[in-house]
Amino acid sequence: MKLIHDVQEMQQTALALRRQGKRISFVPTMGFLHEGHASLLREGRRQGDVLVLSIFVNPTQFGPTEDLDRYPRNLAGDCALAEACGTDIVFAPTAAAMYPPGFQTTVSLGPLTAPLCGASRPGHFNGVAVVVTKLFGIVQPDIALFGKKDFQQLAVIRRMTADLNLPVEIIGMPIVREPDGLAMSSRNSYLSPEERQQALCLYRALLAVRELFERGETSAELLLTAARAQIGATSAAVIDYLELRDGITLEPVAQAINGTLLALAVKIGSTRLIDNTVLGEEL
Ligand SMILES: Nc1ncnc2c1ncn2[C@@H]1O[C@H](COP(=O)(O)OP(=O)(O)OP(=O)(O)O)[C@@H](O)[C@H]1O
Ligand SMILES: CC(C)(CO)[C@@H](O)C(=O)[O-]
Ligand code: BAL
C-alpha cells in the first residue's frame, strides 16, 4: 500500500492508472476509521482494480464553532485498517495543498441542502461539495462509495454528480452499527461511558417509529411524537432535528409511506450525532 500526501503525485498516479485501463474505486473519508469505513473499503475492493482511500479533515465543511480542531486523528491506525481491507493507495493531503492561496471557487447547491444538516450547519454542504469535486478531479475514480449514515450528504453528492455530468458512479452503502444499535461514527470517541449509554436513544427512536409504522400508523405527527419520547427520556440528549421527509426530494411529509426517511441529529452532551432510517427498508 502506498501513502501519498502530494496532490499532483496523486493525480498523476491516477491518470496513469486510467491510461492502463484500471478501474479506480474511491472511498473519501475524514479518517479515524471504524468498521463503517471498512465496509465501504471492502466493497470498493470488490468492485475495482485499484482502491483509493482519502483521509482529509476538510476545514471548509466545519462551522466556526464546530469540532474541526478536536476532530480525532490516527493516520497510523487508519493505514493499518486500510491495508487490511485491501487498499492500494491512501491519499492524505494537507489543507494548505487543497486550498492554496487564491483559492476561491464554490459549488452552488439546490433545495436538497435546505433542511436537516443543511439547516443546522450553514455552509456545510458547500464545503462537502467542493472537496468531493476536487477529490474526484484528483483521484479520477470510476466509482465512489459513501455511507447512508450521512443520508443527506449522499443525496446531495448523487444530485451534484448527475447535474454536473461527473463521470463517477456513486454507490450508497448500508449503515454499520455497534451490536447495541448505535451507528458507528468517528465522533462516538467523544462520548464518556455514561454518554455512550445515553446515545442509544437515537437507535431507540428509530425502532419506535419503525415498529409503529409496521403496525399501520402513518401520521407523521404521531410517529414523531413516539420518537421524541425516546429522546426526551434521556437526560443528556437534546434534539437538533427529528423529521420525517420524502426519501428522494427530502420534502416534509404529513403521512409516512414506504420510502419515507426518518432523520435525526441529537446532541449528547457536547457531541452531535446523526442517524436515520428509511421506512420499509432494512435497518
Ligand atoms: N456507520 C457507518 N456505516 C456506513 N458508512 C459510514 C458509517 N459512518 C461513516 N460512514 C461513511 O464513511 C464516509 C466517511 O465518513 P466520515 O469520515 O465522516 O466518518 P464518520 O464516522 O461519519 O465521522 P463523523 O463522526 O464525522 O460523522 C462517509 O461516506 C460516511 O457516510
Ligand atoms: C465526504 C467527506 C469525506 C468530504 O469531506 C466527508 O463529508 C465525510 O467523511 O463524510
Ligand atoms: N460525515 C460527515 C462529515 C461531517 O460531519 O462534517
Side-chain angles (χ1 to χ4, degrees), residues 70 190 195 236 267-272:
R70 70 171 184 139
Y190 296 151
E195 288 174 336
K267 273 190 109 172
I268 306 289
S270 61
T271 304
R272 182 176 175 281

Side-chain angles (χ1 to χ4, degrees), residues 27-136:
V27 177
T29 77
M30 303 206 305
F32 210 70
L33 302 186
H34 49 66
E35 200 44 43
H37 301 113
S39 72
L40 273 54
L41 289 170
R42 288 192 204 102
E43 183 60 17
R45 174 72 282 163
R46 211 181 58 75
Q47 292 206 29
D49 302 314
V50 177
L51 173 59
V52 180
L53 161 73
S54 69
I55 298 176
F56 180 57
V57 183
N58 174 38
T60 66
Q61 69 188 69
F62 285 79
T65 61
E66 292 183 351
D67 57 342
L68 172 63
D69 293 337
R70 70 171 184 139
Y71 196 85
R73 290 164 168 84
N74 179 7
L75 185 60
D78 288 351
C79 285
L81 189 140
E83 189 152 30
C85 293
T87 304
D88 297 299
I89 300 173
V90 175
F91 174 51
T94 62
M98 289 293 276
Y99 300 107
F103 186 93
Q104 56 183 252
T105 301
T106 61
V107 179
S108 178
L109 301 165
L112 274 180
T113 61
L116 308 175
C117 286
S120 309
R121 304 184 65 187
H124 169 66
F125 286 117
N126 287 94
V128 170
V130 168
V131 83
V132 167
T133 306
K134 282 174 68 69
L135 289 167
F136 284 180

Side-chain angles (χ1 to χ4, degrees), residues 28 30 34 37 71 146-147 149-150 174-176 184-187:
M30 303 206 305
H34 49 66
H37 301 113
Y71 196 85
F146 295 86
K149 195 198 72 176
D150 298 270
I175 300 174
V176 177
M184 289 194 181
S185 165
S186 309
R187 289 188 172 97

Side-chain angles (χ1 to χ4, degrees), residues 202-270:
L202 282 88
Y203 185 60
R204 282 201 291 268
L206 301 185
L207 289 184
V209 170
R210 288 178 66 93
E211 275 165 31
L212 269 183
F213 179 71
E214 275 158 29
R215 293 214 306 269
E217 182 58 67
T218 61
S219 155
E221 202 180 312
L222 291 178
L223 292 167
L224 291 173
T225 301
R228 271 191 218 105
Q230 294 297 330
I231 314 286
T234 308
S235 58
V238 177
I239 295 174
D240 174 358
Y241 64 73
L242 170 55
E243 298 189 40
L244 282 162
R245 290 193 167 251
D246 181 276
I248 306 289
T249 64
L250 304 187
E251 297 282 341
V253 296
Q255 298 294 322
I257 57 171
N258 281 339
T260 297
L261 169 73
L262 170 66
L264 74 171
V266 174
K267 273 190 109 172
I268 306 289
S270 61

